[in-house]
Amino acid sequence: MKNSTQELRQAFIRYFEQHGHQAVPSSALIPQADPTLLFTNAGMNQFKRVFLGEETRAYKRAVTVQKCLRAGGKHNDLENVGYTRRHHTFFEMLGNFSFGDYFKEDAITFGWEFLTQTVGLAKDRMWVTIFRDDDEADQLWKKVGVPASRIMRCDEKDNFWQMGDTGPCGPCSELHFDQGPSVPGDDRPNGAGDRVIEIWNLVFMQFNRDAAGKLHPLPDPASIRAWDWNGWRQWHKASTATMTAMCLRRYSAPWPPGPGSGMGSKTRPIGRCAWWRTIFARSRS
């Protein structure tokens, strides 16, 4: 699939529109009615009240291109900028959402179909990680064709997601892509280097964490699915470089050199064309 970034956005949106999703504009980068967040850090933020059962929408499914900033708080990418080839702070999160419509099985099927059929990634170069206790996700990945040898169980550090210290959260399942031995790094997910990179993330939001840290079941369990756009473009171009020229240039700012750095005047990217998250919800039982 040889496309520009705009064509990739359109392909993602078109795919989910064809599956009955309503296109919804990005919400503001600074949340308007959520004191728990300084910046919008995920595509699901504007639907938080829907997940908590405090609000309803006129549509059951939505697709968005959401502007996000991760420079502090629970999801802080700032400390990784400059140390990896794929971490920045500002990015677009392309996501689709379903409220009271479907959950794990369809979320997994959509993700696998989009990446392997629409995008064209090689199935035998994929890895899947799941939360250690999620037997249902394990069986569903096997159902779409992922062999048991390519499924890894991980703990909270890698496979349990939450938007902040409080709010919706739950176990997650991730797709990783092996770029091959020419890229430095371990040959398994969550290892060192960039050889095997996370490209898609499904968060099965089943709980709401309160200020005391206690988990309460959500009225409509949901899942967030994400496509790491940078990861796919690295594979597509057979390169480990971030697509600075293509999609970060307009988000760049001068980077003053530190004393004695010898770096001169450089440009520090503050943009990221990366996480494509999609959210689904299951009907109340």
Side-chain angles (χ1 to χ4, degrees), residues 9-276:
R9 290 189 193 96
Q10 292 173 347
F12 183 90
I13 295 170
R14 183 168 56 250
Y15 175 87
F16 287 103
E17 282 185 324
Q18 290 171 349
H19 288 84
H21 294 69
Q22 171 69 44
V24 177
S26 171
S27 61
L29 193 60
I30 298 177
Q32 302 300 297
D34 190 345
T36 68
L37 295 173
L38 180 60
F39 298 109
T40 296
N41 66 3
M44 57 79 60
N45 290 171
Q46 69 167 304
F47 302 112
K48 179 180 176 180
R49 288 176 54 83
V50 179
F51 299 137
L52 295 176
E54 301 171 353
E55 179 184 326
T56 59
R57 299 290 177 101
Y59 42 82
K60 286 291 187 180
R61 304 183 183 189
V63 60
T64 69
V65 178
Q66 175 64 53
K67 295 181 288 292
C68 299
L69 182 64
R70 291 186 174 178
K74 184 69 177 176
H75 297 284
N76 181 10
D77 283 347
L78 188 60
E79 297 303 318
N80 292 317
V81 173
Y83 291 94
T84 75
R85 297 175 183 268
R86 61 184 186 275
H87 281 94
H88 305 287
T89 52
F90 176 86
F91 61 98
E92 287 180 333
M93 186 175 289
L94 280 71
N96 64 291
F97 309 78
S98 176
F99 311 112
D101 200 21
Y102 51 88
F103 194 46
K104 287 186 182 181
E105 182 167 10
D106 286 315
I108 287 173
T109 300
F110 278 145
W112 187 253
E113 178 181 280
F114 183 79
L115 289 175
T116 61
Q117 297 183 26
T118 302
V119 178
L121 292 179
K123 297 178 181 180
D124 59 359
R125 297 175 68 176
M126 297 281 208
W127 283 87
V128 170
T129 60
I130 62 175
F131 188 58
R132 60 172 183 249
D133 300 326
D134 198 343
D135 295 331
E136 181 184 6
D138 178 75
Q139 293 302 313
L140 290 171
W141 283 115
K142 292 174 181 176
K143 183 177 179 180
V144 298
V146 180
S149 61
R150 305 291 284 190
I151 301 174
M152 290 178 53
R153 293 178 183 258
C154 301
D155 58 17
E156 286 90 346
K157 177 180 179 296
D158 295 308
N159 282 84
F160 194 93
W161 186 91
Q162 56 192 76
M163 60 177 282
D165 293 329
T166 62
C169 59
C172 67
S173 183
E174 299 168 338
L175 275 164
H176 303 251
F177 187 79
D178 187 348
Q179 301 185 87
S182 62
V183 178
D186 295 337
D187 61 358
R188 286 176 174 269
N190 301 326
D194 288 331
R195 172 173 170 170
V196 179
I197 55 174
E198 177 193 339
I199 59 172
W200 194 274
N201 189 13
L202 300 92
V203 181
F204 305 121
M205 290 195 302
Q206 299 170 241
F207 308 104
N208 178 36
R209 189 185 297 275
D210 64 23
K214 186 176 180 180
L215 297 177
H216 305 275
L218 288 173
D220 280 328
S223 71
I224 305 175
R225 186 171 67 229
W227 180 16
D228 189 328
W229 199 350
N230 278 342
W232 181 77
R233 293 298 296 189
Q234 287 178 17
W235 163 81
H236 180 62
K237 290 181 171 294
S239 167
T240 56
T242 306
M243 339 180 264
T244 305
M246 183 171 288
C247 63
L248 304 188
R249 184 175 297 161
R250 62 191 171 123
Y251 301 130
S252 297
W255 187 2
S261 68
M263 295 181 66
S265 178
K266 296 215 179 249
T267 298
R268 181 178 187 176
I270 59 173
R272 181 183 179 192
C273 292
W275 293 95
W276 288 29

